[in-house]
Amino acid sequence: MAGLSLRCGDCGALLKSVEEAQEHAELTKHSNFSESTEAVLNLVCATCGKPCRSRTETDLHTKRTGHADFDDRTLEAAKPIELEAAPKAAAASGESAGDESSQPEEMVVPEVDSDLLGQLESMGFPTARATRALHYSGNSSIEAAINWVAEHEDDPDIDQMPLIPKDKMTEANKPSLTPEEIKMKAEELRERARKKKEEEERKTEREREKERIRIGKELLEAKRIEEENERKRILALRKAEKEEEQRAREKIRQKLEEDKAERRRKLGLPPEDPVSSKPSAAPEEQKKSFLPVKPATKAERMRDCLRSLKQHHKDEDAKVKRAFQTLLTYVGNVAKNPNEEKFRKIRLNNPTFQDRVGGLHGGVEFLELCGFEKLEDGEFLFLPRDKVDMAVLNSAGSELNSAIANPFFGVL
């Protein structure tokens, strides 16, 4: 089978032509070449069309650009090696050179655009790298040269001056693209960059929209939870109001029963028989009427005291509310700092105390229900440390909060 490439015996590189072998020998000083039936790889990137000659080049290209799909066109581009036109390569491979007096082709540095070369050097590129980039990129533009450097920056010979046969220098220096083609290529690159930017902007906008939707859902959920909590609070407040009204009606009913019994006693009549007075009552109701009345708890006595205070000052809502707030402050201070004597001792003749609590009906009585005692001199209300009952103070705080929050407190 005819040889399809030349293999360097020193480094194993495959070269497509005698000219490449000569250039490789000049750059690396390798001189051991042999003909090979293995073709040089021609792997073309399916995305951008860049040809790669080895798996190493494809890996580097994928690393730089992210392009991972390559078309193997090795067999399409493979051609037999022409050895007759390369006496230097034939001699280096150990084969007969024919005429020993023949001279190798003279290798020279290719000519490149001096203006482009100066611009690259002003950017900091070494002269050899800039010359190599301009030569292999077609000597067409700064952008093409920079792209070539970016794709070949890991090449071992990136900073070596390129050499080509003298008779091919003119052909090599010709621009690979006409001015019109360069202009079209630049326009294509600008259009591609514009589309890429638009796609990135659309992607960013989609991400922002997703974030806005997520934040909106979180706000709606937080609002729903807040409304649910408010609804529960209103229901609890209404329930407390109904219970308060029920207790007020029951107290009025008991008061009427007591007044009725007192009038019968004053008139010398026997006590009313519950059975005869309510013949049509159901057995269950009759059973309930004979249940003993439980003594009032301290919390109920506190509630009655606050209700009495409000009823005695029913036309002074602001004054009543301020009294409730002051009592809540006294109770709260003792509950938070039971060891502080200054919170457990109140001067009765203090003008502020008299104006807010002491001068109102039931104010001092409420404090006494909380555990405060009048000292013998009658000048102070004092709560001994050993008589501080947190349960009583908590009940007092609950009753005061209920009285402050309930607009119907003490109405009945």
Side-chain angles (χ1 to χ4, degrees):
M1 182 176 180
L4 298 178
S5 63
L6 292 175
R7 181 185 297 275
C8 177
D10 297 315
C11 64
L14 291 177
L15 306 164
K16 293 193 295 184
S17 64
V18 174
E19 288 79 6
E20 286 190 3
Q22 291 173 344
E23 184 178 349
H24 183 76
E26 291 289 339
L27 296 175
T28 63
K29 305 302 181 184
H30 297 166
S31 59
N32 184 15
F33 294 89
S34 61
E35 189 176 359
S36 173
T37 58
E38 182 179 355
V40 178
L41 292 178
N42 183 23
L43 303 175
V44 180
C45 177
T47 304
C48 64
K50 181 185 182 302
C52 299
R53 299 179 53 164
S54 65
R55 295 298 178 183
T56 303
E57 287 191 24
T58 59
D59 293 341
L60 290 174
H61 183 69
T62 301
K63 183 178 179 181
R64 295 190 194 102
T65 64
H67 302 164
D69 295 331
F70 295 87
D71 296 332
D72 189 350
R73 302 179 184 176
T74 303
L75 297 180
E76 299 177 8
K79 295 181 180 180
I81 291 291
E82 295 291 342
L83 300 178
E84 290 76 6
K88 183 177 179 180
S93 63
E95 298 181 1
S96 175
D99 187 3
E100 295 182 359
S101 62
S102 61
Q103 297 295 327
E105 292 187 60
E106 183 180 358
M107 306 296 287
V108 295
V109 176
E111 292 183 2
V112 295
D113 190 304
S114 58
D115 293 337
L116 298 180
L117 180 62
Q119 293 181 38
L120 289 174
E121 288 177 341
S122 66
M123 294 179 186
F125 292 100
T127 302
R129 181 178 297 195
T131 303
R132 197 175 192 85
L134 287 171
H135 171 64
Y136 286 109
S137 64
N139 199 27
S140 58
S141 65
I142 290 291
E143 182 181 1
I146 293 175
N147 290 338
W148 187 93
V149 172
E151 293 181 359
H152 295 81
E153 60 183 352
D154 294 330
D155 293 355
D157 55 353
I158 185 66
D159 288 320
Q160 296 180 7
M161 191 67 74
L163 297 174
I164 62 172
K166 186 176 181 180
D167 58 350
K168 293 188 177 295
M169 183 172 61
T170 304
E171 180 181 354
N173 288 333
K174 291 182 180 179
S176 59
L177 297 175
T178 63
E180 292 76 10
E181 292 174 335
I182 293 174
K183 185 176 180 181
M184 292 176 63
K185 187 69 174 179
E187 184 65 28
E188 180 183 352
L189 290 174
R190 285 193 292 270
E191 182 67 17
R192 189 182 304 171
R194 185 185 62 79
K195 290 182 178 179
K196 183 177 181 181
K197 183 178 180 181
E198 291 178 353
E199 179 62 27
E200 291 177 353
E201 290 177 351
R202 286 195 294 269
K203 184 178 180 181
T204 303
E205 184 61 28
R206 286 195 296 268
E207 294 297 329
R208 290 176 181 172
E209 184 64 23
K210 290 180 181 179
E211 184 67 14
R212 285 195 292 269
I213 292 174
R214 183 186 66 80
I215 294 175
K217 289 182 179 179
E218 291 180 356
L219 291 176
L220 289 175
E221 180 65 16
K223 184 177 180 181
R224 186 191 65 78
I225 294 174
E226 182 180 359
E227 291 176 350
E228 180 68 17
N229 292 336
E230 180 66 15
R231 186 181 65 82
K232 291 180 180 179
R233 188 188 68 80
I234 293 175
L235 290 176
L237 180 61
R238 290 177 179 174
K239 182 179 179 181
E241 292 171 356
K242 289 181 180 179
E243 292 176 352
E244 180 68 23
E245 293 174 0
Q246 182 65 27
R247 287 193 295 268
R249 285 195 290 269
E250 182 63 23
K251 186 174 181 180
I252 293 173
R253 189 190 64 77
Q254 291 180 0
K255 181 66 174 175
L256 293 175
E257 292 292 338
E258 291 173 359
D259 292 345
K260 185 177 180 180
E262 180 66 19
R263 287 196 300 271
R264 292 181 66 87
R265 186 184 64 78
K266 288 180 179 180
L267 293 173
L269 299 175
E272 184 178 7
D273 186 1
V275 178
S276 61
S277 63
K278 296 181 180 180
S280 61
E284 186 65 23
E285 293 179 357
Q286 293 178 4
K287 184 177 180 180
K288 289 183 179 178
S289 64
F290 287 101
L291 292 176
V293 178
K294 294 182 180 180
T297 63
K298 183 168 285 191
E300 292 174 342
R301 292 166 60 192
M302 290 179 181
R303 191 181 308 117
D304 292 340
C305 183
L306 295 176
R307 187 181 293 108
S308 175
L309 189 152
K310 185 169 184 178
Q311 289 175 350
H312 277 80
H313 304 279
K314 57 184 178 179
D315 296 330
E316 301 173 290
D317 291 340
K319 193 171 186 178
V320 171
K321 188 173 183 179
R322 185 178 63 180
F324 289 168
Q325 292 284 3
T326 304
L327 290 172
L328 184 61
T329 301
Y330 284 139
V331 173
N333 286 338
V334 176
K336 294 176 183 177
N337 307 278
N339 295 321
E340 292 287 341
E341 183 177 343
K342 64 179 180 179
F343 295 128
R344 295 184 282 107
K345 193 172 184 180
I346 303 173
R347 185 184 294 275
L348 288 171
N349 59 2
N350 183 289
T352 303
F353 174 78
Q354 285 294 324
D355 179 57
R356 291 174 175 265
V357 176
L360 277 67
H361 178 82
V364 175
E365 181 184 353
F366 183 86
L367 291 172
E368 289 177 341
L369 289 173
C370 294
F372 284 87
E373 302 173 354
K374 286 185 179 180
L375 298 182
E376 294 180 358
D377 56 5
E379 187 177 355
F380 292 96
L381 278 175
F382 182 69
L383 175 59
R385 177 65 183 88
D386 57 348
K387 293 186 178 181
V388 174
D389 190 337
M390 298 305 294
V392 173
L393 294 177
N394 289 334
S395 297
S398 299
E399 294 300 331
L400 285 167
N401 282 321
S402 177
I404 294 171
N406 186 1
F408 301 102
F409 181 81
V411 174
L412 298 178

